[in-house]
Every structure is written in structure tokens, then in C-alpha cells.
Amino acid sequence: CDARHPAGATLAVPSISSEPSGSAMTTSYLQSRRMETVRAWTSFVEHGDGAEGLVRPEILTSWTRSEAAVPTDVAGAPLADESETASVWRGSPLQTAVERVEAELRRTAEDGDLVVAITDAQTRILWTYGGRVMRRKAETVNFVPGGRWDDQSVGTNALDLANRLAAPAMVFSAEHYAPIVHNWVCWAAPVHDPVTGAQLGVIDLSTTWDRTH
């Protein structure tokens, strides 16, 4: 979906795909890919630069940032002040954009058992909606309004990469730095002000890695 309005933001749902169009997302392929990411992550954690060539450059760069700031046993994202987060969201261009496509976002989340998130420019989550199972998983790691999902708070993830690189991003399984989300796959894309072009944050879709297609 794509919502454009002078008082809102440009909101485009990221494409849910981990491979070029036409690739077959078989269970065995996904399991093999997951094992590759786990091996690369383990090599990095145990040997530092041992993952070079095993993951994409942007993942390795983010792992390096994450390693300096986040323990591998991090239990969840730190939470910003609840009332401040609500105040930032209320009446913002991001809220306006979401309101225009909220029914579609909710259907997407429920039909695919995804969790949809909108962040600000600092990768703080402002709004989420999730399918029944993913909503519970999200709550356990503070993937909720107020959760700080920059990589120096909770490790490598698609929200941070999309925000940092100003481009769509996908992070699969153990490409995430924190083991608490090694069972996830996330797709994110920047959200821009249609008038000024300023990057306001990102929109993210997340689910479990085995649901990649």
C-alpha cells in the first residue's frame, strides 16, 4: 500500500521476500539458509572477524557495532518513556499515514501472522499491530511502542538497517545479532515526508523465519 498526503507521510509496505522474484522458498532451503546464518553468527561471536565473506557487508558492519554495545544475552529492547512515546505519535505525520491504511495493515498482520511496526527517526517503535502468535512473541522482546530498536540498543535488525541506510532492508534468522530474535525474519523500508522528503522513520513487517516466502 502507498499513502500520500500533504499532512502525512509516504507509507509503503515493504515487499515480503528474501530472494529475487521466482526463487522457490522450500522448507529445506530455508532450513539450510538458517543454518548458514547460525554458523556465520557463531563464527563472529567466537572469532571476531571470522564471519567476513559469510554474511552481507551491512550485516557484518552492524554486528561490529552491536558487539561493542549489546551483550549477546540481551533479553529485550530498552523501553523509552511510555507517555513521551505516545505524545510523539499523537498527531504526527506517521500517525496520519497509518490511519489512512490501518485497516489494510491490520488485515496483512492477521492474515500472515505478522507484526507490523512503525518507528521514528531514532528507530524507536511508535505503533505496532500483530497477529495473535507474533504479537505475543513481540511483547516478550519489547517489540512494542517505546521499544528502542537501533542496533546499539538491541543488536542488528532490519528496522535499524533501513533507517541507517535509507533503503529497504531484510534481516533473516541469525543475521540478527541478538539470539532472542534468531527465529525471526524482518523486512523494513524507510518512511518519508512527501513534501520535504525528510526520513521520518521506518515501517517493518516481522514474522518467524520459516514463514519467509
Side-chain angles (χ1 to χ4, degrees), residues 118-139:
I118 305 292
T119 80
D120 63 12
Q122 287 72 50
T123 328
R124 170 180 53 175
I125 294 178
L126 300 177
W127 179 89
T128 65
Y129 185 82
R132 182 175 55 86
V133 175
M134 277 306 297
R135 181 169 63 247
R136 289 200 301 268
K137 293 179 185 294
E139 289 170 353

Side-chain angles (χ1 to χ4, degrees), residues 12-31:
V13 175
S15 174
I16 305 178
S17 175
S18 66
E19 292 293 319
S21 178
S23 294
M25 291 290 101
T26 64
T27 299
S28 60
Y29 171 85
L30 291 174
Q31 289 173 338

Side-chain angles (χ1 to χ4, degrees), residues 140-152:
T140 65
V141 296
N142 289 340
F143 197 84
V144 295
R148 296 189 175 276
W149 280 81
D150 58 285
D151 63 8
Q152 291 180 297

